[in-house]
Amino acid sequence: MVEVRSMADLVAGLGIIRESPADLGTIELIVRRPETNKREVLDRAELDLDRGLVGDNWLVRGSRATQDGSAHPGMQLNLMNARVIELIAGPRENWPLAGDQFYVDLDLSADNLPPGSRLSLGDAMIEVTDIPHLGCRKFIDRFGLDAAKFVNSEEGKLLNLRGINAKVIKPGCVNTGGIIEKL
C-alpha cells in the first residue's frame, strides 16, 4: 500500500529533485510490463529498435495516440526521475506501480533534455521524443490526486516530473545500476 503524500510534502521535496545530475546519472530500476498491470523488475534488459524494451507490452498494447491504435513510436520507452518517484511512492518496491520502464537519477527537465536529446544507457542509445508524459487516471488511483496535480503542474511539466517518452535509436543491453549519460 502506497502512503499518499500531501501537496505540501511533495513541494517540499523539489529541492532534492532539482539536485539530480544533469549529464551523468544512474539507472536505478528497470521494469518490464509483460501485460497490462503486470510488472517485472529486471537486473538486465535488452533494447530493440522495433520492440523497445524486449518483453514489454508496448508494441502489442498499442496507443490511443495513433489513428489506427497501433503502438506510438514516440512512446516506446518511459523514463522517470528516481528522486520524483521516491518522493511520490516511497519505498522502491512501490516504484513499478507508476508504469514506467526506467527510473533514473538524472535531470529529465525540458531545459536539460529537450526533444531530440540523446542518452546512452549501457550500450544502447535512446532519443527523447516530443510526446508529453503526464499523470493519468491510474496514476491518481495509485498515488493520489495531489501527486497528479504535482507532476502535471506548470512547474512539474517544465521539470518533466511525470517523466519523458523516448525511442530506441541504437539497440543494446542495459543494467540496473548502470550509467545513463546525456550525449
Side-chain angles (χ1 to χ4, degrees), residues 4-140:
V4 175
R5 312 278 192 227
S6 71
M7 183 62 78
D9 289 339
L10 297 169
V11 171
L14 276 172
I16 281 188
I17 294 166
R18 290 180 187 280
E19 293 172 4
S20 299
D23 299 320
L24 188 67
T26 55
I27 301 162
E28 298 292 325
L29 193 67
I30 303 171
V31 179
R32 178 169 51 204
R33 308 159 306 186
E35 298 174 33
T36 301
N37 295 322
K38 300 279 186 193
R39 306 288 188 266
E40 296 174 350
V41 174
L42 305 173
D43 292 326
R44 182 177 178 85
E46 181 184 346
L47 295 182
D48 180 84
L49 289 172
D50 298 319
R51 296 178 288 164
L53 179 79
V54 174
D56 189 78
N57 73 348
W58 162 79
L59 187 60
V60 296
R61 186 181 69 239
S63 174
R64 291 187 304 255
T66 59
Q67 283 188 322
D68 65 359
S70 63
H72 194 296
M75 300 169 79
Q76 197 177 46
L77 300 174
N78 312 122
L79 289 80
M80 188 170 184
N81 180 294
R83 296 172 191 225
V84 174
I85 192 61
E86 183 174 33
L87 176 65
I88 290 170
R92 194 172 290 238
E93 60 265 17
N94 293 337
W95 297 9
L97 292 172
D100 301 277
Q101 296 132 316
F102 292 94
Y103 299 88
V104 299
D105 190 19
L106 188 73
D107 176 2
L108 302 179
S109 70
D111 283 344
N112 192 50
L113 294 175
S117 298
R118 293 186 171 189
L119 300 162
S120 69
L121 293 85
D123 51 353
M125 186 184 307
I126 65 173
E127 183 175 284
V128 177
T129 65
D130 62 354
I131 311 294
H133 188 38
L134 303 172
C136 62
R137 179 84 234 159
K138 288 181 182 180
F139 193 84
I140 294 169

Side-chain angles (χ1 to χ4, degrees), residues 80 84 88 135 139 146-153 156-157 161-162:
M80 188 170 184
V84 174
I88 290 170
F139 193 84
D146 279 352
K149 287 180 178 180
F150 177 66
V151 299
N152 290 329
S153 68
K157 289 177 184 176
L161 296 182
R162 180 58 192 95

